[in-house]
Amino acid sequence: MTAPLDGIKILDLSRFIAGPHCTKILGDMGADVIKVEKVGYGDDGRHLPPFQNGESLYGMSLNRNKRSMVLDFRHADAPQMLIELARQADVLVENFRPGTMEEMGCGWDVLHAANPRLVMTRLSGFGQDGPYAMRPGFDGIAQAMSGLMSLAGEPEGPPMLAGTFYVDYMTGMYGANATMAALYARERTGKGQMIDVALLDSAVSMLTTGLSSQADQGVTPLRTGNRDRYSSPANVFATGSGDYVLIVSGTNPLFARICAMIGKPDLIQDPRFTTVPLRLQNAAAIEDVVQAWCLEHDTQAVIEALNTYGIPACKIATMKDVVENPQLHHRGQLVEMEHPKAGKITLAGVTMHLSDTPLTIRRPPPVLGEHTDEILGDWLGLDEDAIGALRDKRLI
């Protein structure tokens, strides 16, 4: 079966998370992704722990389905090499600080002139223009500046970062989505275009009602801990066996079900709890009732009862629980691969399932520079002597 992006060539100059995640998605879709890295150093992500046999699990988690070549980006001939590679590419992805590609002589105008069909996907902290464009930007900075951190944590505690780099991942997904849209547009116009995706923009897109609450009503959303912001009871509750479960039962139909489950059907007539807004105003009171019931039962009994009544709920999983989750195994979300240096590694599976053109994991994350000669031969048609000459002058 043909993959969705079979035949599409991606030139990947990105590092860390957002860019590599973007190109990983495109690679899963069948694109030929060429990861161009610094000679002798590679992607910064290769140097972040934890390590397995000297290889970074951080870096490997983001770079499957790619081939790696090395290049001295500071060499006088590097810009011409990048331009020649871009002539052969359908897409170039980069997440340098804005202006870096221009300083290298490889800005959008130059690349577009060299290859009018090229799509250039640019990921950055704050976008390619604007008063903050030149500031360094990372996931945590975007969480902080977007207001997301102000919404995370206990009401009386400090703002908190999330437990993962979810703004980076979201930006990578936006980048991949925009890239596919640009490729689709190219089918009609014959021309490529430049894409500008920013971490801050991506973070702000996840604020739900935060923007309108503040801008239109003058109401500043505050931290609510694990309590749902829009309905109740929806929170984390302790069980009698010392675990925690998340229960989401704030809508009117779900509230009726949980009242029946805990043996208190009369609560749906309690004037404090008859509507969603009233339950939210009296969240502590209704949560106390649910919490008391949970403490009377062990975790298995709590989950079984909730499932029987059709109430969304689950135990708060540890990573051990996650890697043993039968649903994830059934869905192919834990994939084992053999890496040439790290040995057996476990990666997240493909997250999109297409019936006729499925996504696939075809190759493990590459060792630094593993495919340099192969790529120069495939993409540029260089023979061994020509490649040897490039190596002699330390361009590669």
Side-chain angles (χ1 to χ4, degrees):
M1 290 182 285
T2 302
L5 294 185
D6 188 44
I8 295 295
K9 295 181 176 180
I10 311 287
L11 187 61
D12 180 9
L13 308 185
S14 67
R15 60 252 166 87
F16 290 117
I17 297 178
H21 185 57
C22 171
T23 52
K24 183 187 78 172
I25 294 171
L26 300 172
D28 288 353
M29 292 181 174
D32 179 16
V33 180
I34 302 305
K35 185 174 180 66
V36 185
E37 306 182 66
K38 298 177 187 177
V39 171
Y41 186 82
D43 181 343
D44 297 87
R46 290 186 181 272
H47 303 274
L48 298 174
F51 297 96
Q52 182 166 305
N53 295 335
E55 293 290 304
S56 167
L57 293 178
Y58 177 110
M60 287 191 290
S61 70
L62 296 156
N63 288 294
R64 68 186 181 217
N65 283 337
K66 303 178 186 181
R67 295 190 285 171
S68 170
M69 69 166 282
V70 290
L71 180 71
D72 180 356
F73 285 87
R74 297 184 180 277
H75 195 286
D77 293 340
Q80 188 58 42
M81 173 62 77
L82 290 175
I83 290 169
E84 291 304 316
L85 290 167
R87 289 185 198 277
Q88 306 303 316
D90 295 285
V91 178
L92 182 149
V93 178
E94 62 94 2
N95 63 348
F96 297 116
R97 190 179 301 191
T100 300
M101 292 291 289
E102 285 74 12
E103 291 172 3
M104 292 172 58
C106 296
W108 167 243
D109 291 345
V110 173
L111 296 177
H112 184 61
N115 180 0
R117 289 177 57 81
L118 181 72
V119 172
M120 186 178 189
T121 301
R122 315 189 75 171
L123 311 177
S124 61
F126 304 100
Q128 297 299 310
D129 50 28
Y132 295 172
M134 299 308 295
R135 292 187 181 186
F138 286 90
D139 178 282
I141 303 301
Q143 288 190 45
M145 190 178 291
S146 67
L148 285 170
M149 274 186 71
S150 75
L151 303 178
E154 293 300 321
E156 303 305 321
M160 296 192 71
L161 287 165
T164 188
F165 304 106
Y166 69 115
V167 178
D168 271 332
Y169 286 104
M170 178 63 72
T171 303
M173 287 188 280
Y174 276 135
N177 196 33
T179 298
M180 290 183 287
L183 289 172
Y184 183 74
R186 192 181 71 174
E187 292 299 304
R188 299 194 306 274
T189 67
K191 295 193 302 182
Q193 58 186 294
M194 188 182 77
I195 294 166
D196 178 1
V197 178
L199 293 175
L200 180 61
D201 299 351
S202 300
V204 167
S205 77
M206 293 185 279
L207 290 174
T208 318
T209 60
L211 290 178
S212 52
S213 293
Q214 185 68 62
D216 301 336
Q217 300 179 337
V219 177
T220 302
L222 302 175
R223 290 184 288 285
T224 61
N226 291 317
R227 176 179 291 165
D228 187 276
R229 190 174 300 279
Y230 302 105
S231 66
S232 183
N235 205 334
V236 171
F237 299 90
T239 70
S241 49
D243 296 313
Y244 289 93
V245 297
L246 175 66
I247 301 175
V248 181
S249 55
T251 67
N252 290 329
L254 288 174
F255 182 62
R257 294 180 196 176
I258 201 167
C259 290
M261 183 191 77
I262 65 177
K264 296 182 180 295
D266 56 309
L267 285 177
I268 61 175
Q269 306 299 329
D270 189 309
R272 298 172 297 171
F273 308 138
T274 53
T275 68
V276 172
L278 284 171
R279 287 195 297 278
L280 196 57
Q281 291 174 25
N282 297 283
I286 188 57
E287 287 172 357
D288 286 346
V289 177
V290 175
Q291 179 60 88
W293 181 88
C294 289
L295 287 172
E296 293 173 356
H297 302 81
D298 64 25
T299 304
Q300 183 176 352
V302 170
I303 295 298
E304 287 179 355
L306 289 161
N307 287 339
T308 297
Y309 280 83
I311 299 167
C314 71
K315 176 190 171 187
I316 306 300
T318 64
M319 284 302 110
K320 184 176 185 298
D321 295 325
V322 173
V323 299
E324 295 174 353
N325 187 307
Q327 179 68 16
L328 292 175
H329 283 278
H330 174 80
R331 298 279 294 174
Q333 290 305 298
L334 287 94
V335 177
E336 290 186 356
M337 300 194 79
E338 279 295 325
H339 186 271
K341 290 183 68 176
K344 188 187 79 171
I345 57 174
T346 301
L347 303 174
V350 299
T351 52
M352 293 167 279
H353 299 267
L354 280 67
S355 62
D356 294 339
T357 55
L359 281 64
T360 59
I361 301 176
R362 302 173 304 285
R363 60 171 75 231
V367 173
L368 177 62
E370 179 181 352
H371 307 99
T372 299
D373 292 13
E374 177 181 305
I375 293 163
L376 293 174
D378 288 353
W379 277 39
L380 301 185
L382 302 184
D383 59 22
E384 289 184 12
D385 290 340
I387 295 170
L390 295 177
R391 189 166 281 114
D392 288 342
K393 63 181 181 179
R394 297 184 178 179
L395 176 60
I396 60 173

